[in-house]
């Protein structure tokens, strides 16, 4: 990590001056003691102080930690300055003095700075760090008490016990700072530059221990090698402050507990045992023995906490905080024998790889965390939720009643499909969900999960075939996500417009109705057809609301035409998701009533595939509307393998013959025969027929010959704006 130019220049000056100062102490020059002690040392220390404050000034954010640390360094350097100012001619300084208050201020401020630095780096690791600090402090204190026993014993009989107590406080505070710092480092994996701070505090501690053991009653003599230890310690602490202010130094990376913490505990026990062996034989220090025993007792707690933390981490997904497969499987198999029923819901996300490749791993991680939170919120209270792999989530719900299973599945799908705001776009995740139940689909979690996976594969197979044929590469999938974001916001900006394609009665040429067709008026890509956005809406589960908006706009337009004296029926396509949506069908008749429109003017077009998939449900949903007079049209008739079955399963008013029939009838005798049969069958059943995609007169002539009732297509008119319909309908359209 490189420093900014002004900071680098000041640190180089401070380092150079420190070297000069150290050399003059090792190789003293007669008569130059005052210059060395009063000028060289102070230049070195105050230049270092200037470097750290310059680094703080250049820092754009997160300045609390370096400001407090810089204040700590300034306090101790100011103390050195006062200390030298009070030195008499022979280099002796009275002790204690005003400088000692500033030295004590250094320890308080530095402790606050370390805690501030660690606060944002060690989220969720507080208990372990505290125990590391306590154990490290006690172990080091027991050794310190043993080493300083002679000083401790003599304190009570010294002529100035205050001086001895003050001198002893420095190494004790050093040990506390180092213990706190090591405890933080034991758990921090952010890459923060702690090393220079540790070395600086170690130098302080060593110098303070020597100081405490040798401080005379008359004061301290300036100009010894001990002064260099404190001065170099100041420089190393300043270097830490400067490095801390550099950008990019605190990138968090949650990991398992560091082995350094365990090492601290082991070393502390070794130190405590050594004190227990040596102290009785050498000094008999009660303080040292007490601290050693306390170290051994307190070491047990962090080891237990750390082991528990490791067990928890082993069973959790580090990204989302959910359980992993091992945890869910263990809990499920543990309680399954006691249950009467249980449900496994497997949720597989799509487009995760595309998000990672197109928007980056961080965005992907943000999305997965958001999905995890959504799944957790949608799951029953007593459920176990887990993340099985990169894009799979599972819910294990014990004793979930059968009538609530589909409700939970729908809630999970809706939660996952809720827009996630990342990278300035709203991402709507597609998902496939499989559900299995105990004991119907398996006796253990593995079997239940396999059954759910099989359902997911079966549901995804048609989409996979479509995707392979469409070559949905990562870039294209990312474009899909961006388009969906634009589409969601476009609804409120009136970028969605309706075009109307006339439908004429072939026998008279009179325009009796129009089909409402949605178009997206994109600000940069122009007018986009339904094939470019309808699949997106279906994937994002937005089609029901979309259909309601289109229906409302189409009926508004029909009412507007009615005020102009033009009675014009409108046809609106209804998606399967709209029919599934609670309340959609119930709102259709009120929309007609509010506008004073006859139900017969509205035709709802449903696809043949919808009927094939679930004819009974579709029939139940549409039956009240048909009884009220709304016409029901079966769209894309002939594209499925069970076309006649769909006619048997649902009562409709109209069949729309797919373009694939009409486009081949002039060249294919079999197509003409088939079309003749379908039109005849519909006539026998009392069902009108509409030919889609009519593009030339020969097609229209044949359709008239076989008795097809209606036609629409580019031969008659392309989809046009609403204001073009009255003029078109004014004159009857004639075959050429």
């Amino acid at each position: 990590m490189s420093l900014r130019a002004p900071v680098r220049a000041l640190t180089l000056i401070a380092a150079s001056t420190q070297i000069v100062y150290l050399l003059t102490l090792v190789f003293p020059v007669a008569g130059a003691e005052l210059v060395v002690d009063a000028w060289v040392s102070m230049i070195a220390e105050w230049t270092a102080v200037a470097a750290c404050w310059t680094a703080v000034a250049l820092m754009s954010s997160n300045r609390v930690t370096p400001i407090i640390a810089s204040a700590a360094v300034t306090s101790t350097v100011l103390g050195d300055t006062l200390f030298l100012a009070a030195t008499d001619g022979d280099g002796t300084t009275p002790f204690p003095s005003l400088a000692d208050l500033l030295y004590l201020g250094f320890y308080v401020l530095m402790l606050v700075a370390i805690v501030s630095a660690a606060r944002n780096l060690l989220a969720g690791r507080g208990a372990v760090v505290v125990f590391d600090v306590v154990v490290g402090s006690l172990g080091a204190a027991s050794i310190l008490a043993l080493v300083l026993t002679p000083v401790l014993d003599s304190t009570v009989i010294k002529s100035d016990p205050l001086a001895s107590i003050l001198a002893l406080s420095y190494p004790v505070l050093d040990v506390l700072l180092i213990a706190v710092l090591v405890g933080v480092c034991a758990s921090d994996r952010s890459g923060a530059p702690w090393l220079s701070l540790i070395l600086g505090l170690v130098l302080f501690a060593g110098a303070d221990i020597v100081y405490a053991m040798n401080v005379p009653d008359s004061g301290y003599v300036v100009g010894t090698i001990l002064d260099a230890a404190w001065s170099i310690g100041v420089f190393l602490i300043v270097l830490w402050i400067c490095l801390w202010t550099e950008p990019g130094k605190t990138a968090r990376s949650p990991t398992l507990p560091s082995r350094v913490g365990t090492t601290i505990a082991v070393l502390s026990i070794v130190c405590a045992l050594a004190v227990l062996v040596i102290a009785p034989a050498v000094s008999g220090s009660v303080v040292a023995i007490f601290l050693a025993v306390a170290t051994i007792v307190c070491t047990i707690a962090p080891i237990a906490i750390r082991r528990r933390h490791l067990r928890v981490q082993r069973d959790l997904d580090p990204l989302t905080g959910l359980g992993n497969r091992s945890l869910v499987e263990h809990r499920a198999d543990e309680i399954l024998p006691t249950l009467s029923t249980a449900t496994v819901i497997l949720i597989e996300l799509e487009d995760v790889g595309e998000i990672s490749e197109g928007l980056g791993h961080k965005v992907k991680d943000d999305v997965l965390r958001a999905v995890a939170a959504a799944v957790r919120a949608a799951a029953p209270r007593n459920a176990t939720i887990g993340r099985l792999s990169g894009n799979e989530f599972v819910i294990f719900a014990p004793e979930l009643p059968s009538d609530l299973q589909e409700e939970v599945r729908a809630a999970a799908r809706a939660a996952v499909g809720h827009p996630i705001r990342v990278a300035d776009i709203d991402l709507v995740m597609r998902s496939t969900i499989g559900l299995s139940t105990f004991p119907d689909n398996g006796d253990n979690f593995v079997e239940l999960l396999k059954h759910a996976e099989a359902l997911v594969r079966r549901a995804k197979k048609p989409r996979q075939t479509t995707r392979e044929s469409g070559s949905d590469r990562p870039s294209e999938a990312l474009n899909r996500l961006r388009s969906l974001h634009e589409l969601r916001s476009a609804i409120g900006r009136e970028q969605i417009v309706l075009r109307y394609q006339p439908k004429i009665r072939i026998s008279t040429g009179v325009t009796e109705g129009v089909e409402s067709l949605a178009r997206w008026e994109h600000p940069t890509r122009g007018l986009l057809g339904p094939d470019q956005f309808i699949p997106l809406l279906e994937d994002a589960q937005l089609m029901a609301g979309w259909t309601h908006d289109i229906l409302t706009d189409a009926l508004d337009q029909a009412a507007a035409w009615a005020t102009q004296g033009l009675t014009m029926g409108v046809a609106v396509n209804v998606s399967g998701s709209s029919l599934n949506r609670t309340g959609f069908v119930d709102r259709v008749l009120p929309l007609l009533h509010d506008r004073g429109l006859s139900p017969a003017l509205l035709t709802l077009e449903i696809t043949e595939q919808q009927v094939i998939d679930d004819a009974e449900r579709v029939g139940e949903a549409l039956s009240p509307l048909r009884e009220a007079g709304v016409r029901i049209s079966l769209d894309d008739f002939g594209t499925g393998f069970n076309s006649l079955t769909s006619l048997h399963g649902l009562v409709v008013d109209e069949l729309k013959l797919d373009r694939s029939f009409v486009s081949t009838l002039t060249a294919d005798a079999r197509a003409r025969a088939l079309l003749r049969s379908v039109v005849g069958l519909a006539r026998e059943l009392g069902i009108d027929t509409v030919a889609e995609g009519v593009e030339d007169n020969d097609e229209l002539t044949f359709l008239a010959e076989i008795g097809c009732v209606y036609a629409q297509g580019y031969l008659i008119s392309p989809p046009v704006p609403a204001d073009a319909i009255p003029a078109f309908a004014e004159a009857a359209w004639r075959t050429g």
Side-chain angles (χ1 to χ4, degrees):
M1 185 183 298
S2 61
L3 299 174
R4 295 180 176 92
V7 179
R8 184 166 59 248
L10 288 170
T11 52
L12 287 176
I13 293 172
S16 302
T17 314
Q18 286 288 351
I19 294 172
V20 172
Y21 179 51
L22 179 61
L23 290 175
T24 55
L25 290 177
V26 176
F27 307 103
V29 179
E33 292 84 357
L34 181 60
V35 174
V36 171
D37 296 332
W39 291 100
V40 178
S41 63
M42 287 298 95
I43 290 174
E45 292 189 8
W46 281 110
T47 305
V49 170
C52 67
W53 283 113
T54 302
V56 169
L58 294 175
M59 193 176 183
S60 59
S61 61
N62 193 24
R63 302 170 65 168
V64 176
T65 296
I67 285 176
I68 298 173
S70 298
V73 171
T74 304
S75 180
T76 192
V77 172
L78 185 58
D80 286 343
T81 305
L82 294 177
F83 195 82
L84 283 172
T87 302
D88 58 21
D90 61 359
T92 303
T93 304
F95 178 75
S97 69
L98 181 60
D100 291 291
L101 292 177
L102 294 170
Y103 293 149
L104 292 175
F106 162 80
Y107 291 103
V108 174
L109 291 171
M110 187 54 65
L111 179 61
V112 174
I114 294 173
V115 172
S116 172
R119 183 178 56 189
N120 295 326
L121 298 176
L122 304 178
R125 303 273 292 122
V128 175
V129 175
V130 169
F131 277 111
D132 285 340
V133 169
V134 171
V135 171
S137 299
L138 287 173
S142 64
I143 293 291
L144 190 63
L146 182 63
V147 172
L148 297 178
T149 295
V151 180
L152 289 170
D153 292 342
S154 64
T155 297
V156 294
I157 60 174
K158 277 184 177 289
S159 58
D160 190 357
L162 177 61
S164 295
I165 293 173
L166 187 59
L168 286 172
S169 68
Y170 292 139
V172 172
L173 291 172
D174 285 319
V175 168
L176 176 62
L177 278 181
I178 293 173
V180 171
L181 185 56
V182 171
V184 170
C185 294
S187 300
D188 174 35
R189 310 313 268 174
S190 69
W194 298 109
L195 180 60
S196 62
L197 179 58
I198 294 175
L199 293 177
L201 292 178
V202 167
L203 275 176
F204 263 67
D208 286 339
I209 290 173
V210 175
Y211 180 75
M213 296 181 67
N214 296 282
V215 61
D217 293 340
S218 58
Y220 175 71
V221 178
V222 176
T224 67
I225 196 69
L226 201 58
D227 294 330
W230 283 309
S231 185
I232 295 173
V234 167
F235 175 78
L236 291 172
I237 295 171
V238 166
L239 183 61
W240 169 74
I241 295 172
C242 294
L243 291 174
W244 185 269
T245 62
E246 291 300 304
K249 60 33 183 128
T250 56
R252 291 178 58 185
S253 177
T255 61
L256 295 177
S258 168
R259 294 179 181 176
V260 177
T262 305
T263 303
I264 292 173
V266 172
L267 289 177
S268 298
I269 290 178
V270 170
C271 292
L273 292 175
V275 169
L276 290 176
V277 172
I278 297 172
V282 176
S283 64
S285 171
V286 176
V287 175
I289 294 173
F290 174 79
L291 291 172
V293 172
T295 300
I296 294 173
V297 172
C298 290
T299 302
I300 298 172
I303 290 177
I305 290 177
R306 190 172 285 106
R307 286 175 62 86
R308 179 178 176 277
H309 192 74
L310 284 168
R311 284 198 302 270
V312 171
Q313 289 286 65
R314 183 188 60 200
D315 291 334
L316 293 181
D317 171 46
L319 177 65
T320 64
L322 299 178
N324 56 22
R325 177 172 182 145
S326 174
L327 175 67
V328 180
E329 182 175 347
H330 174 74
R331 289 186 180 177
D333 288 341
E334 189 176 45
I335 65 172
L336 274 175
T338 67
L339 302 177
S340 60
T341 184
T343 305
V344 170
I345 299 175
L346 178 65
I347 305 167
E348 184 171 320
L349 304 179
E350 300 183 38
D351 303 325
V352 173
E354 289 83 348
I355 292 173
S356 178
E357 184 166 337
L359 298 176
H361 292 296
K362 183 181 183 304
V363 171
K364 179 205 71 176
D365 291 345
D366 290 342
V367 168
L368 290 175
R369 278 190 285 265
V371 169
V375 172
R376 185 187 285 112
R381 279 179 165 272
N382 63 339
T384 300
I385 307 107
R387 180 183 174 216
L388 303 185
S389 64
N391 65 335
E392 288 184 330
F393 294 82
V394 67
I395 300 173
F396 173 75
E399 302 294 355
L400 184 65
S402 57
D403 58 335
L404 294 181
Q405 291 171 1
E406 286 303 321
E407 182 179 325
V408 173
R409 186 214 294 259
R413 183 185 298 278
V416 171
H418 192 270
I420 301 170
R421 184 71 175 180
V422 291
D424 296 325
I425 63 175
D426 291 323
L427 295 180
V428 180
M429 300 301 297
R430 294 185 295 179
S431 64
T432 307
I433 298 181
L435 184 149
S436 61
T437 58
F438 166 83
D440 299 335
N441 304 127
D443 295 328
N444 56 60
F445 178 76
V446 172
E447 291 180 0
L448 294 171
L449 187 61
K450 284 183 178 178
H451 184 80
E453 288 172 341
L455 294 177
V456 168
R457 286 194 300 271
R458 189 182 308 166
K460 288 178 62 178
K461 193 170 183 179
R463 293 204 302 273
Q464 287 173 339
T465 303
T466 302
R467 176 172 293 188
E468 289 169 4
S469 64
S471 183
D472 194 8
R473 296 184 296 273
S475 59
E476 295 172 349
L478 181 57
N479 287 336
R480 183 193 68 82
L481 293 171
R482 292 189 183 278
S483 295
L484 183 54
H485 164 67
E486 294 174 342
L487 191 60
R488 293 181 62 87
S489 55
I491 296 175
R493 295 201 304 266
E494 299 182 354
Q495 291 179 8
I496 306 306
V497 297
L498 290 185
R499 295 291 184 264
Y500 299 91
Q501 187 169 38
K503 178 175 68 175
I504 65 167
R505 181 176 289 272
I506 297 176
S507 61
T508 63
V510 174
T511 303
E512 294 192 4
V514 292
E515 181 180 0
S516 305
L517 300 170
R519 297 293 185 264
W520 180 8
E521 203 165 45
H522 195 281
T524 59
R525 295 160 60 190
L527 198 64
L528 305 180
D531 58 317
Q532 294 179 277
F533 59 89
I534 294 298
L536 301 181
L537 294 170
E538 291 284 9
D539 285 341
Q541 303 171 43
L542 298 173
M543 198 59 210
W546 176 275
T547 303
H548 179 268
D549 292 341
I550 292 176
L551 175 62
T552 301
D553 289 347
L555 293 179
D556 284 342
Q557 186 57 59
W561 284 328
T563 61
Q564 301 172 28
L566 177 62
T567 302
M568 183 65 63
V570 292
V572 176
N573 290 279
V574 180
S575 66
S577 56
S578 300
L579 293 176
N580 287 331
R581 185 175 179 178
T582 304
F584 172 80
V585 172
D586 296 335
R587 289 196 292 268
V588 173
L589 293 179
L591 287 173
L592 288 164
H593 181 268
D594 291 345
R595 289 155 181 79
L597 297 175
S598 167
L601 289 179
L602 174 63
T603 299
L604 297 181
E605 296 186 1
I606 59 174
T607 64
E608 181 186 353
Q609 189 60 47
Q610 290 174 240
V611 179
I612 293 172
D613 289 342
D614 196 346
E616 183 177 353
R617 178 185 56 79
V618 172
E620 289 178 357
L622 296 177
S623 178
L625 297 179
R626 191 171 186 277
E627 291 175 2
V630 175
R631 291 172 57 82
I632 307 300
S633 175
L634 189 58
D635 200 7
D636 300 332
F637 183 78
T639 57
F641 291 105
N642 300 299
S643 298
L644 295 179
T645 303
S646 62
L647 281 180
H648 178 269
L650 179 70
V651 178
V652 298
D653 302 286
E654 181 180 275
L655 292 183
K656 297 197 73 173
L657 306 176
D658 189 69
R659 166 67 187 160
S660 59
F661 274 128
V662 177
S663 62
T664 59
L665 63 85
T666 57
D668 188 342
R670 296 182 61 185
R672 290 194 296 273
L674 183 58
L675 201 57
R676 191 188 303 272
S677 299
V678 170
V679 171
L681 176 61
R683 187 167 50 248
E684 291 292 328
L685 295 174
I687 300 174
D688 292 335
T689 50
V690 182
E692 292 185 287
V694 178
E695 295 186 356
D696 62 48
N697 281 314
D698 291 340
E699 294 171 355
L700 191 60
T701 299
F702 178 79
L703 291 169
E705 290 175 358
I706 63 175
C708 184
V709 182
Y710 298 106
Q712 68 181 79
Y714 273 72
L715 174 66
I716 299 160
S717 172
V720 295
D723 56 9
I725 293 298
F728 182 89
E730 188 175 341
W733 198 94
R734 298 294 182 184
T735 58

